[in-house]
């Protein structure tokens, strides 16, 4: 069992210790369930009101945070969550399987397979595919004729990579995701929809991570592009000719229609939909379930349908909640005026009040 | 051809017969298309106005329901739909294929495969996996190293089960579903997003049923949990550290963000989105497409975005439909007051009326 | 390298040439990035304001459209986009792989495989399956016992086709799509949900195209039906007993609940949800993200939640944007009346104005 003293950990993090530096830590655990042998972490604002007690043997905590008296030893760091992500691998080292080409893997003529590549059972690597050194490919995954996959990538099981796709280095593609699907492009004709040929491809930048069961369409003539370090959650749809910048965050079940442009470091919440040919500016943030049908300026936070600035959105939503009250007050005013003016008014108030 | 008399069926259901007990039934069919040889069913409120004629030879009907004169023989039961589900297997017995490990299945060292387990072609069972007796696993499905699958489960084709997943007994997982995906957890840093290691697993309770192409993320440190007898439709996303109780109903394309808690017997309509760390109380019901961003008390029915109590939601929606009328009336009042007070008012009414 | 003169192309399209008929074209490209060797196209309204310059050697353009002076040779056609779809294959002929049954394909007893059928590696074709001539089936795809697949179909990789499914001719089913999943039908009982047996199938018409990672449930007793020439995008959910007509367009991430009826030539935008048993009339159009909970008459355009006629929807949305202003004006009127009447009114205005 891996064991570190609090002093060992503090040294790695350049953390200030409050408590017993010799205390032995053998694992990591969540704040609530951690025991005396565990390292855990907390953040300012993690909890409403007082921070509850924890039995964690050691706790990564921000400089200012005051804890109730407890047996825990504190390691003071600027960013406890980040520090925690750095400590977890000490106790859970990734067990590197020995690279291996399984005998059931099918490899086409002219495929170039780099050093230390893992091909799990029933993988299919088409003709003239290039797979960079250190890349591992999950079982039943299909990389079609001519595709390029970089170094140290991890493709899960049952993934599909189309032939006209170029994947960078250190890219993670989770199980069931489809890269380079045929885009949804038809031209209406009297005899029904005529298909627009989709002869473009996809380019996936370095260090991109894509969740499970996503669908990324290839471009019509040019390429669909996902910029370096962009992270995508599960069940996301990316239409043909979409361009996503670098360092973007795309949460689960987002749908991007054709030719959408997402600029660098933009963040889209879960289930957001973006209409065709829309641009979302650099650093913009879109609230979950929003529908974006107009371009979003860089840096702006928007929400709602149609998406508008957060300030307008929140004020409009708040006002909408008060609508029944508004109608009541409107009717009262109309009645006051009727009495005043002795005029019958033009509408049947009783009917208007039925909501 | 399987044949039962109405008397045979009535006996099984303890149903009261109205008509010919000797009538021969050889199959089941929907109300509209059933013929004299078919058993069908109807429910109070199945149809607006009079119940249409049916040619069904036998009809499961609730005690009170009055039918037009027809040749059909009635079997009176308390719950016709439930009775029908019990009769269907008589005419469509599930043909149990002989259990078989296909020669193309790949099985890792130390895997324990129970009695009468079926492994279809191209399945992959990792090292030290346990698969309980009577479980069948579809073609091209991958169960990763160390995973535990219970007894009498049915896993469809192209399913993925991650190594740190524990699946109970009699669990159904349909084709293309991914259990134990890596959760979407990143810590922003100046050099881009740092990944929070996801070392937890998933625990799927007994008798759970999960639809096709769903994605269930494993926990970050602890487990993602789906309680016994919960039923999940297709294309559902379950984020990391989510806890779903027992007997829940989750309809298609629902998205649950990280650390969401769904308590027992809650029901979520299609395309509902639930924000991170939200709790939905036991027995609560959420209308389709709602966006839940605040905790929902047990037993409450909510809808809309942001989700609110059904009563408020319906009144607010109804009022919203009347907004153009409200504006017209507001402008009329302003004009009346202007005349009265001879005051010019502060805004250009004509402009205000442009909607 | 394939080379055509502008005259060659014009002849195929019966187009009028403006410029050099002898100019040599070797490829197709988008308007913005096309070079002198490329054919491209533009449409009226493709661009706001003046049409930008293009370096395309030849440009398919509508009769009326006026371009800035440029070196490009014009081919005047009625429908440039359609003409372009017809020219692309000249420069990108689909390279027909030689039909081949890969040795790793598993084929059950009694399966009938037509002439020139391609079965990629690790495909699984169940007992008594029929596959029509010229159909190609992608790697790791599973066609279950008894299924019928027509002629000249293209099934992608990791597709699942259930046993009780009938697929027409020239059908395209992209990677990861599941046809004939078990529908989501349960009857509540004191002991938990009882499953309604799903013994129906699916019928997919000729020339249907279905995107990637979709889920199509089979019928409960009868069949789920998708009409000829209907096109479906990625990640679409189709519930059990749904009937979709001919020539429909279903955009990505749409969800259709059980027993929904979509009539011919209807079009649903991305992320639309349709409630159970709803009918959407022939030729109706539904805006993206709408929630349809009432029947939609033929030919109508609707949007919003609940979906309403486009006119009402747009007016209501516009009015909603003005709600904070409406409340301000309401409060001002109430104050005016209070002064007038010297009455205190019944509500605390200052409180009312807090939004």
């Amino acid at each position: 069992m891996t064991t570190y003293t609090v002093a060992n950990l503090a040294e790695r993090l350049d953390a200030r210790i409050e408590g017993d530096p010799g205390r032995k830590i053998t694992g990591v655990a969540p704040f609530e369930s951690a025991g005396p042998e565990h390292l855990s972490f907390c953040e300012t604002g993690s909890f409403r009101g007082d921070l509850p007690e924890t039995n964690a043997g050691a706790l990564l905590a921000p400089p200012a945070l005051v804890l109730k008296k407890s047996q825990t030893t504190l390691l003071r760091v600027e960013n406890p969550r980040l520090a925690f992500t750095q400590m977890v691998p000490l106790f859970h080292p990734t067990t590197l399987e020995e690279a291996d080409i399984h005998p059931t893997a099918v490899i086409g003529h002219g495929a170039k397979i780099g050093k230390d590549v893992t091909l799990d059972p029933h993988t299919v690597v088409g003709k003239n595919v290039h797979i960079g050194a250190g890349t591992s490919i999950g079982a039943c995954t299909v990389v079609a004729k001519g595709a390029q996959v970089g170094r140290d990538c991890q493709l899960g099981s049952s993934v599909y990579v189309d032939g006209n796709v170029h994947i960078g280095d250190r890219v993670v593609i989770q199980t069931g995701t489809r890269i380079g699907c045929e885009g949804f492009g038809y031209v209406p004709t009297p005899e029904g929809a005529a298909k627009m040929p989709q002869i473009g491809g996809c380019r996936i930048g370095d260090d991109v991570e894509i969740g499970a069961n996503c669908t990324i369409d290839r471009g019509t003539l040019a390429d669909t592009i996902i910029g370096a370090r962009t992270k995508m959650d599960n069940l996301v749809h990316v239409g043909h000719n979409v361009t996503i910048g670098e360092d973007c965050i795309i949460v689960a079940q987002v749908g991007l229609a054709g030719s959408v442009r997402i600029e660098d470091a933009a963040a889209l919440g879960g289930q957001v939909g973006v209409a065709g040919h829309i641009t979302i500016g650099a650093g913009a943030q879109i609230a979950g379930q929003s529908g974006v049908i107009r371009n979003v300026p860089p840096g702006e936070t928007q929400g709602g349908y149609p998406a508008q600035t957060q300030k307008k959105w929140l004020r409009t939503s708040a006002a909408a909640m008060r609508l029944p009250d508004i109608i009541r007050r409107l009717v009262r005013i109309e009645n006051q005026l009727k009495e005043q003016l002795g005029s019958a008014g033009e509408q049947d108030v009783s009917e208007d009040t039925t909501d």
Side-chain angles (χ1 to χ4, degrees), chain A:
Chain A
M1 188 170 57
T2 345
T3 303
Y4 294 85
T5 64
V6 166
N8 299 146
L9 302 176
E11 189 183 5
R12 283 179 159 73
L13 292 166
D14 190 19
R16 182 161 49 78
I17 301 175
E18 296 176 16
D20 167 16
R23 188 192 286 253
K24 290 191 167 30
I25 300 299
T26 61
V28 291
F31 187 89
E32 298 76 5
S33 59
E37 72 282 17
H38 290 136
L39 173 71
S40 191
F41 76 100
C42 64
E43 295 175 291
T44 319
S46 301
F47 302 91
R48 290 203 189 68
D50 290 357
L51 200 63
E53 286 279 351
T54 176
N55 299 320
L59 189 70
L60 295 157
L65 194 71
V66 180
L67 282 94
K68 292 208 198 122
K69 275 192 205 54
S70 87
Q71 298 314 310
T72 190
T73 292
L74 297 187
L75 290 90
R76 295 289 191 182
V77 292
E78 283 307 320
N79 186 339
R81 179 180 293 270
L82 178 56
F84 190 72
T85 66
Q86 295 160 341
M87 294 297 98
V88 172
L90 297 181
F91 301 97
H92 298 270
T94 358
T95 58
L96 266 183
E97 300 288 315
E98 213 176 288
D100 180 36
I101 311 284
H102 194 274
T104 59
V106 173
I107 304 178
H109 292 301
K112 291 207 177 63
I113 311 293
K115 192 163 163 305
D116 298 329
V117 164
T118 300
L119 298 183
D120 281 352
H122 308 312
T123 48
V124 179
V125 175
K127 295 176 186 166
N128 304 319
V129 165
H130 288 209
I131 297 181
T135 288
S136 70
I137 298 195
C140 299
T141 282
V142 178
V143 183
K145 194 173 92 179
Q148 312 273 315
V149 181
R151 301 173 59 95
D152 301 314
C153 295
Q154 299 170 42
L155 275 59
S157 67
S158 299
V159 166
Y160 176 70
V161 178
D162 198 57
N164 198 0
V165 171
H166 182 290
I167 294 175
D169 298 335
R170 298 172 304 280
V171 170
V172 175
I173 299 175
Q174 290 201 56
T175 175
T177 282
R178 319 289 164 189
I179 313 284
C181 315
E182 184 169 73
F184 197 68
Y186 299 94
V187 186
T189 79
E191 301 73 41
K195 188 191 295 200
M196 167 72 79
Q198 306 287 318
I199 61 175
C202 295
R203 299 186 68 83
I204 313 292
D206 295 341
D207 303 295
V208 166
E209 300 189 7
I210 302 180
N213 282 356
C214 295
T215 61
I216 317 289
D217 288 347
R218 63 183 184 262
T220 307
L221 300 171
D223 289 344
T224 298
I225 292 168
I226 301 181
R229 295 177 305 284
T230 282
K231 313 300 184 195
M232 198 176 285
D233 203 344
N234 300 334
L235 289 166
V236 170
H237 166 69
V238 177
H240 53 182
N241 310 318
V242 166
T243 300
I244 301 178
E246 302 184 338
D247 297 301
C248 294
I249 297 288
I250 315 276
V251 179
Q253 296 178 317
V254 162
L256 307 180
S259 302
V260 161
R261 180 179 173 80
I262 311 285
E263 295 179 350
D264 295 350
L268 277 62
Q271 298 184 332
V272 162
V274 183
H277 297 271
I278 291 297
T279 294
I280 295 184
Q285 305 212 358
I286 310 297
Q289 285 195 328
S290 302
V292 184
I293 60 177
R294 299 190 208 96
N295 293 340
V296 176
E300 220 171 68
T301 299
Q302 294 203 354
Y305 183 95
Q308 47 188 323
T309 64
Q310 188 173 34
K311 191 184 167 205
K312 275 193 198 161
W313 174 46
L314 295 179
R315 297 188 67 232
T316 312
S317 314
M321 299 293 176
R322 296 171 52 191
L323 263 169
D325 167 59
I326 290 170
I327 292 177
R328 265 191 306 279
R329 288 157 62 183
L330 190 61
V331 169
R332 188 179 53 220
I333 292 167
E334 288 170 335
N335 291 338
Q336 288 181 350
L337 287 173
K338 264 207 294 191
E339 287 171 24
Q340 258 186 48
L341 311 175
S343 87
E346 292 138 41
Q347 81 293 336
D348 174 354
V349 168
S350 60
E351 179 238 311
D352 282 335
T353 51
T354 56
D355 48 306

